[in-house]
Amino acid sequence: VGIVVDQLATNALREQLVAADELAVRVDNAPSYQLLQGKVSHIRIAGRGLVPIDGLRIARIDVETDTVDLDIGRLQQGEVLLEAPFQAAVNIELTEADLNQFLISPAVTEQLSDLRFNLLPGSREALRYQLKNPRLDFISGNRLRFQVQLEDTISSETLSVVAETGFVIAGGAQLELVEPEILVDDSPVPRRILRQVVDGVNQNLSLEQIEASGVTARVLSFEIDDDGFALALFAQVEPIFLTQAGIN
């Protein structure tokens, strides 16, 4: 019974992905009759080279849950439906190469081509700039460098923009920028503009924003090295999350 449920769960998850190099699900339970009722003690998921959306590859993801209550009838039909919330430990690794490949994917390129920046608020020159050729570089010590070209669509002139910052996790939920720098054609931007950018970014880097979707997450560890970054999370997942995510 356990082998059958493992395969059913693996197939149900694989159907939600664009691609996967490796994906395995193990469902542990004792006594076995509870497994037939959809109640399991632990679920362990190990994935390598997962592609959840076109162009984005996750190098590694490992998930281990506490007790999970599944609708076994729906699982037999290839669907995952929770009957109660569960908690999980999640470890994720993404590489610099995979993220840069994602930044030049058609989906991201199209969004960047439509993204305009108003560098002179209230002026008639609004919406005249767009981003091109983005690139990420990871630096040991939890720092990240982002490079992009800012093209003036009227004059066709191009500016080189380099932003570098460190990161810390405040309260397990708020990602904050540390010692950020922004250079435009090798010249630092005014501190007033830098502060506006930092404040805007910090407001949008809180995990509390996803709680309305049914997931409460807290960061346990966060580490950037020269090749990518690794993230360890604790999460509580409500049944509503799987429904909204399209897995139900």
Side-chain angles (χ1 to χ4, degrees):
V1 174
I3 294 175
V4 172
V5 173
D6 288 353
Q7 192 60 53
L8 287 171
T10 301
N11 292 342
L13 288 178
R14 187 178 289 274
E15 288 179 359
Q16 310 302 317
L17 302 171
V18 175
D21 294 344
E22 299 178 20
L23 180 63
V25 180
R26 178 169 179 176
V27 180
D28 296 331
N29 204 78
S32 60
Y33 71 83
Q34 289 191 356
L35 196 59
L36 296 174
Q37 299 172 350
K39 300 181 186 299
V40 297
S41 299
H42 296 89
I43 296 179
R44 297 178 175 87
I45 301 171
R48 303 293 182 269
L50 304 186
V51 182
I53 60 175
D54 285 331
L56 177 60
R57 182 180 184 273
I58 299 174
R60 179 180 74 91
I61 184 167
D62 292 307
V63 181
E64 183 171 354
T65 77
D66 62 5
T67 302
V68 179
D69 195 349
L70 296 170
D71 185 323
I72 194 66
R74 300 290 287 273
L75 185 61
Q76 290 173 337
Q77 299 173 24
E79 300 176 348
V80 178
L81 178 64
L82 288 176
E83 295 190 331
F86 73 90
Q87 297 178 344
V90 184
N91 289 277
I92 302 173
E93 291 183 4
L94 291 96
T95 69
E96 179 182 290
D98 286 338
L99 287 174
N100 278 314
Q101 190 65 36
F102 179 57
L103 287 178
I104 62 173
S105 67
V108 175
T109 300
E110 182 178 351
Q111 290 183 7
L112 289 178
S113 66
D114 293 334
L115 184 60
R116 301 285 196 270
F117 283 85
N118 177 13
L119 298 184
L120 299 173
S123 77
R124 295 181 180 180
E125 298 186 7
L127 305 179
R128 63 182 287 180
Y129 299 94
Q130 66 181 25
L131 296 176
K132 285 190 172 182
N133 303 322
R135 175 177 174 79
L136 288 171
D137 292 296
F138 291 100
I139 305 170
S140 295
N142 286 350
R143 291 190 68 82
L144 172 69
R145 181 184 299 119
F146 179 70
Q147 304 177 63
V148 70
Q149 291 179 328
L150 191 63
E151 182 181 53
D152 187 325
T153 58
I154 296 178
S155 68
S156 297
E157 294 181 353
T158 300
L159 300 176
S160 172
V161 180
V162 179
E164 182 177 321
T165 185
F167 297 92
V168 295
I169 307 297
Q174 179 70 46
L175 188 65
E176 296 182 352
L177 306 186
V178 177
E179 297 181 355
E181 300 176 349
I182 300 179
L183 303 178
V184 178
D185 277 353
D186 297 324
S187 297
V189 301
R191 294 185 64 84
R192 177 180 59 83
I193 295 178
L194 178 61
R195 174 49 55 190
Q196 290 176 346
V197 172
V198 170
D199 289 345
V201 171
N202 283 340
Q203 290 176 6
N204 290 283
L205 292 180
S206 174
L207 288 174
E208 294 177 352
Q209 295 184 78
I210 66 173
E211 293 180 4
S213 68
V215 179
T216 300
R218 294 294 181 266
V219 176
L220 302 178
S221 67
F222 178 85
E223 182 176 1
I224 294 177
D225 60 25
D226 293 338
D227 297 321
F229 76 88
L231 180 67
L233 297 168
F234 164 82
Q236 178 171 299
V237 181
E238 302 286 342
I240 187 176
F241 170 74
L242 295 184
T243 300
Q244 292 181 348
I247 297 178
N248 175 6

